[in-house]
Amino acid sequence: MCSGRVDLEFILRAFSNGMDGVFIGGCRLNECNYITQGNYDALNMVLLCRKIMAHIGLNPERLSIEFMSSGEGIHFSEVVDGFCKKVKDLGPLGKGEKIDEDELKSKLEEVRNLIPYIKIVKRKKLASRLENKEEYDEFFTSDEVDRLFREVVSYHIDPDKCQACMMCFRKCPVKAIAGGKNLIHVIDQDICIKCGTCFEACPPRFGAVNKISGKPVPPPIPEEERIMVRKSKKM
Ligand code: SF4
Ligand code: SF4
């Protein structure tokens, strides 16, 4: 019902499913029926998504957002006709950009996996409301989005420091941490959404969770090496 409900995931899923263009229609800015002003959220998300599309080689013109009232039927049909024509001119998704189909699929998949991370890193900007269109033109820059992908952060538990206190295990929102009593904890990188909760949750006296950027994450230690032998029990 509200354009604010259109998630970044919905758009990227549409492209992953082979849609050549995505059009979002929202109520006029500052005319939202609710205090949430969800159409600003939609606008910010579209601006970010368009930069992400350019980053992976897709023409950002394939994504459009327009604001209008329900009484503007003629305007709506003109805008949609214009968008359809533009998308037809661009050609099928990927082919128009000369990107190999498999490469495009894997690029879209890579971005979709990072959606929770992107939303966390860009949450302040995604919730902003700017006053005029000019301010929005360069709201998200290409450099900023390139950096976002270049400096993706991963989290890793140092097996030599983990004390199996289970704080991170209990707080991880997606159950990406394997652990338990007297077990060195391990993050499953395929499930981790890079929210940073474990980094915050690990008591400073242990400091076992590391933030890693720009280099590979060490492989998880084998299961048979995860059992902890406490000093008191060693004696
Ligand atoms: S970064 Fe977030 S999702 Fe990943 S393991 Fe830590 S708490 Fe779980
Ligand atoms: S919070 Fe830190 S010490 Fe405790 S289980 Fe997690 S990584 Fe290990």
Side-chain angles (χ1 to χ4, degrees):
M1 171 171 172
C2 175
S3 56
R5 177 68 184 93
V6 184
D7 197 274
L8 189 52
E9 163 65 15
F10 300 174
I11 299 172
L12 294 169
R13 195 193 312 158
F15 287 128
S16 291
N17 287 340
M19 298 299 124
D20 297 327
V22 174
F23 175 87
I24 300 163
C27 301
R28 286 186 176 282
L29 294 173
N30 301 321
E31 291 182 15
C32 181
N33 284 314
Y34 307 100
I35 54 165
T36 47
Q37 305 285 340
N39 40 12
Y40 276 97
D41 294 340
L43 174 59
N44 296 341
M45 186 267 303
V46 163
L47 293 171
L48 175 59
C49 191
R50 285 165 63 96
K51 292 291 180 189
I52 291 173
M53 290 167 70
H55 174 82
I56 61 172
L58 280 180
N59 192 323
E61 296 295 307
R62 293 185 185 276
L63 171 62
S64 175
I65 186 165
E66 293 286 343
F67 304 103
M68 59 196 77
S69 85
S70 56
E72 294 176 288
I74 294 173
H75 179 52
F76 173 74
S77 63
E78 285 170 353
V79 164
V80 173
D81 281 352
F83 180 67
C84 290
K85 187 179 174 314
K86 189 192 285 176
V87 172
K88 272 189 186 154
D89 291 346
L90 291 174
L93 185 78
K95 287 206 177 75
E97 289 90 349
K98 298 188 174 41
I99 311 178
D100 173 76
E101 200 178 320
D102 290 340
E103 188 190 344
L104 178 59
K105 249 190 191 159
S106 85
K107 281 182 171 177
L108 283 166
E109 204 49 44
E110 199 182 314
V111 176
R112 284 176 72 190
N113 288 338
L114 287 175
I115 288 175
Y117 174 73
I118 294 169
K119 284 192 197 166
I120 289 168
V121 175
K122 293 293 166 199
R123 63 183 175 278
K124 273 197 189 141
K125 281 182 98 169
L126 285 169
S128 305
R129 271 182 230 168
L130 302 186
E131 291 305 318
N132 56 61
K133 196 178 167 304
E134 289 68 44
E135 282 183 89
Y136 271 112
D137 286 343
E138 275 302 303
F139 187 44
F140 291 103
T141 66
S142 305
D143 281 354
E144 174 185 5
V145 170
D146 291 347
R147 203 168 52 247
L148 176 71
F149 286 94
R150 206 173 45 242
E151 296 173 359
V152 169
V153 168
S154 296
Y155 294 88
H156 173 257
I157 295 174
D158 184 338
D160 293 330
K161 291 186 181 171
C162 179
Q163 294 302 311
C165 70
M166 296 179 71
M167 294 289 277
C168 59
F169 176 84
R170 290 196 189 99
K171 291 195 173 174
C172 176
V174 292
K175 303 199 183 316
I177 301 176
K181 214 176 158 202
N182 292 328
L183 284 177
I184 292 170
H185 288 42
V186 170
I187 295 174
D188 184 334
Q189 300 296 329
D190 291 335
I191 303 176
C192 173
I193 57 168
K194 305 174 191 301
C195 68
T197 304
C198 52
F199 184 78
E200 303 294 333
C202 186
R205 65 184 185 283
F206 303 145
V209 181
N210 294 324
K211 250 187 203 180
I212 297 179
S213 173
K215 51 183 182 180
V217 179
I221 57 166
E223 273 188 42
E224 61 276 14
E225 290 174 27
R226 293 182 196 170
I227 299 165
M228 291 185 69
V229 182
R230 305 278 177 190
K231 274 184 191 149
S232 55
K233 295 199 176 155
K234 273 186 191 166
M235 292 194 311

